[in-house]
Amino acid sequence: MKDVKVNNPLTFGNISYSANNINRIIVVDKNGNKTYLDNSGSIEIRVTHKNGKKFHMYFDTVILENDTLKGGRSRFVQSLKRQIPMDSIAKIEVQDGGKKFNYQN
């Protein structure tokens, strides 16, 4: 993990948090084409459970610890975290959420 700062699009100032060290990931689009997606403060993942429930997290906060995917759900309330057992996951989707979070350091 590394300490990062992103701009706060709602006010002046920055938001600080610990982020993973992943620079880019290989993703597959809807047509099956592989490409690279650079990590940033606006990349989100949507996790679909086997029961159909969906949850989102910010990609740069996601870590895999033992058999559990852990990550942050909010930039503003950092204590909102989610822990999802890997065996309950049916699908993981990654997208640029289009939010104006940009790294400041």
Side-chain angles (χ1 to χ4, degrees):
M1 301 298 280
K2 62 183 177 182
D3 292 329
V4 297
K5 290 181 184 179
V6 295
N7 63 302
N8 185 341
L10 300 178
T11 65
F12 295 103
N14 295 319
I15 301 168
S16 299
Y17 60 95
S18 290
N20 61 43
N21 284 319
I22 298 170
N23 293 322
R24 62 173 25 181
I25 59 170
I26 298 172
V27 294
V28 179
D29 67 14
K30 293 178 183 179
N31 299 321
N33 301 314
K34 291 182 181 180
T35 188
Y36 289 100
L37 180 62
D38 291 327
N39 197 358
S40 77
S42 64
I43 303 297
E44 303 171 349
I45 68 169
R46 183 173 41 248
V47 178
T48 303
H49 283 262
K50 290 179 181 175
N51 66 9
K53 289 185 180 181
K54 296 180 181 183
F55 300 102
H56 90 277
M57 294 183 272
Y58 285 99
F59 178 74
D60 65 353
T61 66
V62 172
I63 61 168
L64 180 61
E65 189 174 290
N66 298 320
D67 62 347
T68 304
L69 190 67
K70 298 179 178 185
R73 298 170 28 199
S74 171
R75 291 280 184 239
F76 305 106
V77 183
Q78 306 248 334
S79 63
L80 291 177
K81 301 204 183 281
R82 186 153 326 266
Q83 297 186 26
I84 303 171
M86 288 298 290
D87 62 358
S88 72
I89 297 173
K91 178 171 53 171
I92 298 176
E93 299 168 285
V94 182
Q95 70 180 18
D96 187 336
K99 295 177 181 157
K100 306 272 189 242
F101 291 117
N102 299 308
Y103 291 132
Q104 302 300 304
N105 52 352

